Amino acid sequence: MVWAFVYNPSMAKAYQNPEYFSTYSEFIPNFDKFCQAQSTPPPVVIRRNQLKCTQAGFDSFLKRHIDNGAFKGFRPADFVDDCYEIDAAKSTVGGLLEHHVGFFYIMGASSVLPVMALDPKEGEQILDMSAAPGGKTCLMAQLMNDRGLLVANEPSHLRRRVLKASLDRMGVSNTFVTSFLGEAFPATHKFDRILLDGPCSAEGSLRGGWSKSFDYERNGEYRAGLQRLQLKLLKRASELLKPGGRLVYSTCTYDPLENEAQVDAILKHDQSLSVFDPGLVGPWQSGLTSWQGRHYNPQVQQTFRVLPHLYNSWGFFVATFIKQ
Amino acid sequence: MLRRLLSSEEQAVLFKYMEERFGLSRNQFSQFTLERTKRDIWMMPADVYECHFENFEIEKRGLRAFNGDKHPPKPTSTFLQRFGHLFTKGFVDLSSDELKKFLAGEALLGKAQGMTKGYLLIRRGDISIGCGFVREGNIETQFPLNIGRTISKDYL
Ligand SMILES: C[S@@+](CC[C@H](N)C(=O)[O-])C[C@H]1O[C@@H](n2cnc3c(N)ncnc32)[C@H](O)[C@@H]1O
């Protein structure tokens, strides 16, 4: 309903209360702790841009801003490389000269995990099906050492502008930007690896905030449409993958209907895909094998969930597939 | 968008200019292909250039490296911020107060005494920032003002 989307700060608290998430209490361990974490903002995390900044240069950048008082402190983020939690307001970090010249990218630590699961390699041909604003694209380009081909696709014109600005700021040269609806991405070219970090209800990235675009009402039609789109995107991603290729499907949401249910559905549809465990170490929760009376393919146990009270970042879900 | 590979003569002129003005060795370009559109020169890894896509609309290909309208071509901020640390000359290191002026679009009077007319790289310590233009010993800013405005002046 439209009235629910009109910003009113007094609503923010109400929407952070556990009611919205109570549906998930049966599978989220320590649910009270989860609700507490979900209602507080995640730490400000920055990731060094290896294309522009050496570790020594980054160390002196961190020290400089401790000395001049911009940062109260910093520490490496757990389980992800090159990421640091910064004790400073996001606006302070975002305003720094070093941010504008692309020494680092501000991104949630859990956003790094789908890229680690994808494990991009130098010289490969990789598709990022839903790329804007581009944090994961830029990280992939770095891990590819800015070689090979990275196609960054994003259908939204406005968001593509942000994506292109991110690529410029990070100094990436190995990327082509395209504007297809992912489900209609031309199947004329096959890729070694594909990241599908597509549209989702974004419950995880709601952490500590209020969003005017978030579906607080759990609108059935909208959710069903979103889930249909997610499956279409997965089907097309599988068609675009080379034999032996790797596909990562990720969302920043907790809803099993957008996560395990989608993995189950694509496994039913496409027998050339199988899920595998990318072996990332961390306090993750395994994918759920059942939800609301529906049972999923046991392979979903090799997917993983990131919960904000177990890992101090945004909620995430990551499924890694291999194509035979 | 019409595009074509930079001819070997055009490449030779560009590489000579970058070597003479900025001390950037032509070897730094060896892993890249250079492509020309009407206004700009773009860089991409050679293996990217070799990927052929049929019926495929590509909105942006690689890194916009030079504004090719200008003679000599003007290096973009994107290029300077990525490769500026490799320059051995043709740059100037600004103090915090000078940088504030530069970002606000003000000329830096007398800051480039003895330098020949043309583009130069603006640095602050180990940070390559963008392009300035030397004219009669002064530096004029070529940095986009809208970006300059969003950079906090508190921690320069
Ligand atoms: C979670 S965001 C992607 C975040 C991005 N991967 C990053 O790390 O910066 C989801 C993106 O999917 C895009 N999207 C929406 N519908 C799509 C479709 N049909 N095909 C492909 N992408 C779509 C949205 O515009 C949005 O930019």
Side-chain angles (χ1 to χ4, degrees), chain A residues 1 4-5 7 11-12 14-17 19-21 201 206 208-219 222-223:
Chain A
M1 270 187 278
F5 301 110
Y7 181 68
M11 284 179 184
Y15 282 127
Q16 283 170 16
N17 84 22
E19 244 165 67
Y20 175 88
F21 291 105
S201 56
L206 193 67
W210 185 93
S211 159
K212 74 171 188 261
S213 58
F214 185 76
D215 169 35
Y216 290 98
E217 311 294 321
R218 288 186 186 276
N219 178 309
Y222 161 70
R223 295 288 170 125

Side-chain angles (χ1 to χ4, degrees), chain A residues 128-136 153-156 159 180-183 197-199 229 233:
Chain A
D128 187 353
M129 242 174 148
S130 301
K136 296 183 193 72
N153 180 66
E154 169 58 52
S156 153
R159 292 177 63 90
F180 300 103
L181 287 171
E183 64 275 29
D197 182 50
L229 175 60
L233 289 166

Side-chain angles (χ1 to χ4, degrees), chain A residues 105 107 111 115 128-138 140 153-157 159-160 163 166 180-184 195-200 202 205 226 229 233 250-252 316:
Chain A
Y105 195 98
M107 69 194 289
S111 293
V115 179
D128 187 353
M129 242 174 148
S130 301
K136 296 183 193 72
T137 320
C138 294
M140 285 193 268
N153 180 66
E154 169 58 52
S156 153
H157 175 70
R159 292 177 63 90
R160 222 162 41 246
L163 169 67
S166 302
F180 300 103
L181 287 171
E183 64 275 29
L195 175 64
L196 170 52
D197 182 50
C200 71
S205 52
L226 188 57
L229 175 60
L233 289 166
S250 56
T251 70
C252 58
F316 244 91

